[in-house]
Amino acid sequence: MKTRKLVYEGKNKNLYEGPEPGTLVQYFKDDATAQQGRKKAVLEGKGVLNNRISEFLMSRLTEIGVPNHFMRRLNMREQLVREVEIIPLEVVVRNVAAGSFATRFEMEEGAVLPRSIIEFYLKNDKLQNPMVTEEHITAFNWASPHEIDEIVALAIRINDFLSGLFLGAGIKLVDIKIEFGRLWENDMMRVILADEISPDSMRLWDLRTSEKLDKDRFRRDLGGVTEAYSEVARRLGILNEPQATERKGPVLVK
Ligand code: TMP
């Protein structure tokens, strides 16, 4: 059997060379990491759930015209994506104070922000992903002013759309981390959404009880991590689809 080429080894995902030029296979591992990789665990089934949840959310975003790298799911743990040049920024949109934001401003977790706030962090584990401003981003050429405008416009759309989508599933989107890449088509370059959107990269709270349904269950040793991710998938209607073996035959119309 031909072994495929590993293009990038991440903490939670791997990228392999795709079947056609300009494509990659994104493989979701069960590994969970926190504290810049100092805290590690293997959570059985997490990769499968994140593959499905990310497929679902990227597909809904495609339907409303948000350009993204997702092409199609290949199997339980893999999806085919467009190859992009990753912009080295983690873009965080916050609707409610939580995590590092709540700590930084000594705010109670759960306080609703006066408006959605966008923050940029440099993707650099060695430097522990420092927060950066547009001044740093343009001075060091991580992205151009035009690309920052596109990123901000897309981030606001993505956050607004997903907030509504999760609301319909009885879930509050507290904050979300997204990443973008440059897609070259002939001589034209577009900024598109890349990476994944899963409970690893969002804070999701039950609307009624504020129970955490995201990676904070791992970060804060609350237990029940994959159960929470399954609950998110179930509420999105992903786990309700009949499996191939359960599907009934054609129904006779009388
Ligand atoms: P923070 O409150 O710890 O800064 O996290 C903000 C959001 O970004 C939260 O939804 C978790 C997500 N996030 C990641 O996806 N990767 C990371 O490395 C960190 C620190 C946060």
Side-chain angles (χ1 to χ4, degrees), residues 11-12 33-37 90-94 96-104 109 119 121 125 128-129 131 173-179 195-196 198-204 214-216 219-220:
K11 293 194 290 284
N12 312 316
T33 56
Q35 300 163 6
Q36 260 80 34
E90 299 201 338
V91 181
V92 173
V93 189
R94 302 183 187 265
V96 171
S100 71
F101 187 94
T103 306
R104 196 182 323 134
E109 281 208 314
E119 297 172 339
Y121 296 85
D125 277 343
Q128 302 188 0
N129 297 351
M131 191 197 262
L173 178 61
V174 171
D175 52 38
I176 178 169
K177 186 270 297 180
I178 41 187
E179 296 183 22
D195 194 48
E196 71 179 296
S198 75
D200 273 4
S201 54
M202 294 180 279
R203 284 198 174 89
L204 302 169
D214 57 65
K215 197 173 163 188
D216 270 352
R219 295 186 191 101
R220 301 180 189 192

Side-chain angles (χ1 to χ4, degrees), residues 18 128 152 182 200 232:
Q128 302 188 0
V152 167
R182 299 182 183 98
D200 273 4
V232 172

